[in-house]
Amino acid sequence: GAVVSQHPSRVICKSGTSVKIECRSLDFQATTMFWYRQFPKQSLMLMATSNEGSKATYEQGVEKDKFLINHASLTLSTLTVTSAHPEDSSFYICSARTIWGGSLGSNQPQHFGDGTRLSIL
Amino acid sequence: GIQVEQSPPDLILQEGANSTLRCNFSDSVNNLQWFHQNPWGQLINLFYIPSGTKQNGRLSATTVATERYSLLYISSSQTTDSGVYFCAVLSGSARQLTFGSGTQLTVLP
């Protein structure tokens, strides 16, 4: 089945540090990748939709200057948390959808990475 | 946007028991997936089931799209089934899944 690889799995760093998280689709191409954030005991909330070769679309309330998203190829998207602070500590999960024949593939399952647990001290 | 409600929010079972988890959604859907999030946070894709019934071992799922609900059945539960079960849907022109609030399942030995 389709595999999404996310790295690193865990990051602990000091306040003010910028942290980059990578998301790769290993055996399929995805024009669209998604970034979710999950706080303890809560559901996944979409942060942004990442489109290959174009600017990401951010959900309301998500600071685009704080969470920089780059989707340079059909298999790689990165999320950079800039100048991270303790309130940015969370579980970040990326996701990608298979594309066939150039369509978005909305009727195809969405595949998820294993997540990155970010702790800012 | 579409609303996704899951019930019950919490469920505690004795090992070997059966259970049914429910997902209600407020609009027609193109895609519905059930996930199990394990204690390490990994999301395991259980079913892709926009309609109909599927079975995989002790798990099965049914989606009745016309009535806007889906059910996840877990039979002969094991302690390794513990975790959070999420239902997520894709509706209309939306490009991404919308998640329900989840059901926290605890299976006691």
Side-chain angles (χ1 to χ4, degrees):
Chain A
V3 176
V4 175
S5 175
Q6 185 173 341
H7 292 282
S9 58
R10 173 143 197 154
V11 180
I12 302 173
C13 57
K14 293 181 179 180
S15 184
T17 305
S18 291
V19 178
K20 180 185 282 190
I21 303 169
E22 288 190 350
C23 180
R24 295 180 184 271
S25 57
L26 295 186
D27 51 0
F28 66 99
Q29 292 182 327
T31 56
T32 305
M33 292 186 176
F34 310 94
W35 289 94
Y36 292 81
R37 179 168 54 184
Q38 184 181 32
F39 291 108
K41 305 291 186 183
Q42 295 187 20
S43 187
L44 280 73
M45 298 300 296
L46 181 69
M47 298 175 64
T49 301
S50 165
N51 298 293
E52 186 263 339
S54 64
K55 291 183 178 179
T57 302
Y58 291 82
E59 295 300 301
Q60 190 174 6
V62 178
E63 301 176 55
K64 55 184 68 177
D65 293 332
K66 160 69 80 174
F67 300 100
L68 299 180
I69 291 174
N70 182 274
H71 192 163
S73 76
L74 286 172
T75 59
L76 173 63
S77 177
T78 60
L79 168 67
T80 301
V81 184
T82 62
S83 187
H85 293 285
E87 58 268 27
D88 298 323
S89 297
S90 187
F91 191 59
Y92 293 86
I93 308 176
C94 73
S95 177
R97 181 176 294 124
T98 306
I99 57 166
W100 288 345
S103 70
L104 178 61
S106 63
N107 290 331
Q108 301 304 318
Q110 201 167 310
H111 304 283
F112 286 79
D114 286 344
T116 297
R117 198 164 302 280
L118 176 62
S119 300
I120 307 298
L121 305 177
Chain B
I2 191 169
Q3 303 299 310
V4 183
E5 296 182 353
Q6 290 185 244
S7 60
D10 296 278
L11 185 59
I12 300 175
L13 300 173
Q14 206 67 40
E15 196 168 28
N18 302 329
S19 62
T20 301
L21 282 58
R22 187 176 182 102
C23 172
N24 291 333
F25 40 94
S26 61
D27 203 349
S28 58
V29 298
N30 301 319
N31 178 6
L32 186 147
Q33 291 178 247
W34 281 99
F35 297 92
H36 173 213
Q37 188 170 40
N38 64 23
W40 297 272
Q42 294 173 318
L43 273 177
I44 311 300
N45 188 15
L46 299 176
F47 292 103
Y48 165 67
I49 187 167
S51 63
T53 297
K54 290 186 178 180
Q55 181 160 4
N56 184 3
R58 295 182 296 104
L59 302 181
S60 64
T62 295
T63 297
V64 184
T66 54
E67 297 187 22
R68 299 182 182 171
Y69 72 89
S70 183
L71 302 174
L72 177 68
Y73 306 95
I74 304 174
S75 63
S76 303
S77 58
Q78 301 175 357
T79 56
T80 51
D81 294 332
S82 296
V84 183
Y85 288 81
F86 287 107
C87 164
V89 303
L90 185 70
S91 175
S93 60
R95 294 155 64 86
Q96 72 290 328
L97 291 173
T98 297
F99 280 76
S101 55
T103 292
Q104 172 75 56
L105 175 65
T106 303
V107 181
L108 303 175

